[in-house]
């Protein structure tokens, strides 16, 4: 058993070496394919013009004389790319210009050296023998414009590749920062929301204790304990199934029914298919709390709180309504400063953009209705349940 870990590490090392080796071979193959194009073009051009000679060389001799010199670029290309990164030509400065000029002349000299040797071996010119140095200098000077264009092409491709990589890195970094910022905002909003209604519930328990309603207070503490357990299990989760959301809200409303006694009746109208839809965690509770405080709480007689959920095409509609006095004439949702409505609007905007909407209006007849519209999305693994 002791050899398992070293063996595993060795296997991982070998795998990484194989991956690196495979990547290196692919890089070499790509470079060979790229530089084979001008090499073959040069050889075919030379072969075509040589057809008019009294004794034209064979094609294989032309290829052997021309192609090897172009493959000098194979090992130099990555080195030149690194040089382009270290000595960028933009903005123009004397040092990078001199460095790249020297590098271009050096590459041209190496190309001319190989070319002079291969042409002397495979394409000798009878009666035109010259010293190797003179032949090398002649090739170097004659091919210098072509080498300059090839060198400039390498620099341009290296610069474009580097700029593209920087752009991709910037986009990835910006996307990661945007996700982190959105998650931070959502977590802050959720952290703000949970203590808000917990403190209100504790305040209701304190009122019952002061009024010596000990049995109701004890029952509220038990329900509050269950509610806290559910909230802790869900933690910082931003989206839950509507089933879980209804379970949390039902505990909360049981607490409020103890507080309001016979003055509160809760009616549920949740379509079975909607129970597996994804909704923001604690999206209904602040709307229910708002309805209790400004609707049911403002009545001396008993009131009704209605919670409805249904699918409307590609959207999920959630409504919380009451039969209280309704909205004041000057109500403006955009200017609402209460934690419940402003928090819900902010979370919907963060999670769904324009697809998440909150509307608050007077109900037909009497009361207020708050409507939440969300994109319809089922929880993972529940698509079949949601659609029967």
């Amino acid at each position: 058993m002791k050899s398992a870990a070293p063996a595993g590490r060795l296997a991982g090392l070998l795998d990484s070496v194989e991956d690196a080796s495979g990547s290196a071979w692919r890089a070499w193959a790509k470079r060979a394919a790229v530089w084979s194009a001008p090499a073959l073009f040069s050889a075919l051009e030379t072969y075509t013009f040589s057809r008019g000679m009294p004794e034209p060389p064979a094609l294989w001799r032309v290829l052997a004389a021309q192609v090897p010199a172009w493959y000098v670029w194979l090992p130099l290309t990555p080195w030149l790319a690194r040089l382009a990164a270290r000595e960028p030509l933009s903005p123009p400065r004397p040092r990078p210009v001199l460095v790249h000029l020297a590098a271009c002349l050096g590459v041209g000299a190496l190309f001319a050296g190989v070319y002079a040797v291969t042409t002397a071996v495979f394409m000798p010119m009878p009666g035109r023998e010259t010293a190797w140095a003179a032949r090398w200098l002649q090739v170097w000077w004659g091919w210098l414009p072509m080498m300059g264009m090839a060198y400039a092409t390498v620099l341009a491709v290296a610069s474009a590749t580097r700029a593209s990589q920087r752009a991709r890195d910037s986009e990835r970094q910006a996307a990661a920062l945007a996700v982190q910022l959105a998650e931070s905002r959502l977590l802050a909003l959720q952290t703000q929301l949970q203590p808000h209604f917990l403190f209100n519930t504790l305040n209701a328990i304190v009122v019952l204790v002061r009024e010596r309603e000990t049995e109701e207070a004890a029952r509220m503490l038990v329900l509050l304990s269950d509610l806290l357990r559910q909230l802790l299990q869900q933690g910082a989760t931003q989206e839950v199934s509507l089933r879980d959301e209804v379970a949390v809200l039902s505990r909360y409303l049981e607490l409020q029914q103890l507080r309001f006694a016979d003055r509160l009746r809760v009616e549920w109208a949740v379509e079975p298919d909607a129970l597996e839809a994804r909704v923001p965690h604690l999206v209904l509770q602040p709307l229910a709390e708002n309805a209790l405080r400004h609707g049911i709480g403002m009545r001396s007689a008993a009131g009704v709180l209605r919670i409805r959920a249904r699918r409307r095409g590609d959207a999920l509609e959630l409504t919380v309504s009451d039969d209280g006095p309704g909205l004041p004439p000057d109500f403006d949702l955009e200017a609402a400063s209460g934690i419940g409505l402003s928090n819900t609007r902010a979370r919907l905007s963060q999670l769904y953009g324009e697809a998440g909407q909150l509307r608050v209006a007077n109900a037909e007849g009497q009361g207020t209705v708050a409507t939440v519209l969300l994109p319809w999305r089922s929880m993972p693994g529940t698509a079949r349940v949601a659609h029967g």
Side-chain angles (χ1 to χ4, degrees):
M1 295 298 292
K2 291 183 180 179
S3 63
R9 287 194 293 269
L10 179 59
L13 180 60
L14 291 175
D15 289 341
S16 63
V17 170
E18 289 179 2
D19 291 342
S21 176
S23 178
W25 276 110
R26 284 192 294 271
W28 274 93
K30 290 179 181 178
R31 288 198 294 271
V34 168
W35 287 111
S36 292
L40 292 175
F41 178 80
S42 176
L44 292 175
E45 182 185 31
T46 302
Y47 178 73
T48 301
F49 283 111
S50 68
R51 298 296 294 170
M53 298 172 61
E55 295 183 6
L59 179 59
W60 72 269
R61 286 185 172 276
V62 178
L63 291 172
Q66 297 273 334
V67 172
W70 283 98
Y71 284 162
V72 164
W73 289 93
L74 287 180
L76 295 178
T77 301
W79 177 80
L80 292 176
R82 290 192 293 270
L83 182 63
R86 283 201 307 269
E87 301 288 346
L89 290 172
S90 179
R93 289 174 294 134
R95 173 186 163 83
V97 172
L98 293 175
V99 168
H100 287 292
L101 180 60
C104 180
L105 294 175
V107 174
L110 185 58
F111 177 93
V114 176
Y115 189 91
V117 171
T118 55
T119 52
V121 172
F122 295 103
M123 291 180 60
M125 293 288 190
R128 297 180 59 184
E129 292 83 0
T130 56
W132 185 87
R135 174 65 177 163
W136 168 80
L137 187 59
Q138 182 183 5
V139 172
W140 178 75
W141 182 256
W143 281 89
L144 192 57
M146 181 64 72
M147 294 298 100
M149 288 189 290
Y151 190 92
T153 301
V154 171
L155 292 189
V157 171
S159 299
T161 303
R162 191 168 65 255
S164 177
Q165 183 62 45
R166 283 200 301 264
R168 286 195 298 269
D169 291 342
S170 299
E171 289 176 0
R172 282 195 294 266
Q173 185 178 11
L177 289 175
V179 170
Q180 292 175 2
L181 179 60
E183 289 177 349
S184 298
R185 287 175 176 171
L186 286 168
L187 186 58
L189 290 168
Q190 186 168 310
T191 303
Q192 176 194 49
L193 188 60
Q194 290 176 353
H196 178 67
F197 83 86
L198 290 177
F199 292 154
N200 288 343
T201 303
L202 289 173
N203 184 60
I205 294 174
V206 170
V207 171
L208 289 176
V209 171
R210 287 176 177 173
E211 295 177 354
R212 300 185 183 278
E213 300 288 344
T214 55
E215 291 187 6
E216 287 79 0
R219 175 60 180 159
M220 288 187 77
L221 285 172
V222 172
L223 290 172
L224 181 59
S225 174
D226 292 340
L227 186 58
L228 287 173
R229 186 180 300 108
Q230 289 177 312
L231 293 176
L232 289 173
Q233 287 174 349
Q234 290 168 344
T237 303
Q238 294 299 335
E239 287 185 314
V240 298
S241 68
L242 182 61
R243 185 186 304 277
D244 292 337
E245 182 70 8
V246 166
V248 171
L249 183 62
S250 64
R251 286 286 186 272
Y252 173 76
L253 292 179
E254 283 186 65
L255 284 166
Q256 299 305 318
Q257 283 178 310
L258 288 173
R259 172 187 171 191
F260 283 91
D262 296 332
R263 293 176 51 211
L264 173 62
R265 188 172 83 253
V266 179
E267 295 180 357
W268 297 86
V270 179
E271 293 180 353
D273 287 351
L275 288 173
E276 303 306 331
R278 293 166 62 176
V279 299
H281 183 31
L282 294 180
V283 67
L284 291 174
Q285 185 278 329
L287 302 181
E289 181 180 356
N290 224 44
L292 293 174
R293 177 182 298 177
H294 302 291
I296 308 299
M298 303 298 292
R299 292 170 53 98
S300 57
V304 180
L305 181 68
R306 299 180 179 89
I307 295 95
R308 184 174 65 178
R310 61 175 179 170
R311 182 172 185 173
R312 293 182 57 184
D314 293 331
L316 173 68
E317 182 186 73
L318 308 173
T319 59
V320 177
S321 59
D322 63 76
D323 57 355
L327 297 172
D330 59 346
F331 176 79
D332 183 5
L333 180 59
E334 298 291 332
S337 58
I339 289 179
L341 295 180
S342 61
N343 187 294
T344 301
R345 290 178 61 242
R347 294 177 68 213
L348 291 175
S349 176
Q350 285 289 322
L351 283 169
Y352 310 110
E354 295 182 357
Q357 301 178 22
L358 171 65
R359 303 169 186 167
V360 181
N362 284 317
E364 294 183 6
Q366 184 179 358
T368 305
V369 56
T371 304
V372 173
L373 288 176
L374 307 171
W376 177 273
R377 291 187 294 178
S378 298
M379 294 297 290
T382 60
R384 276 194 303 180
V385 177
H387 294 286

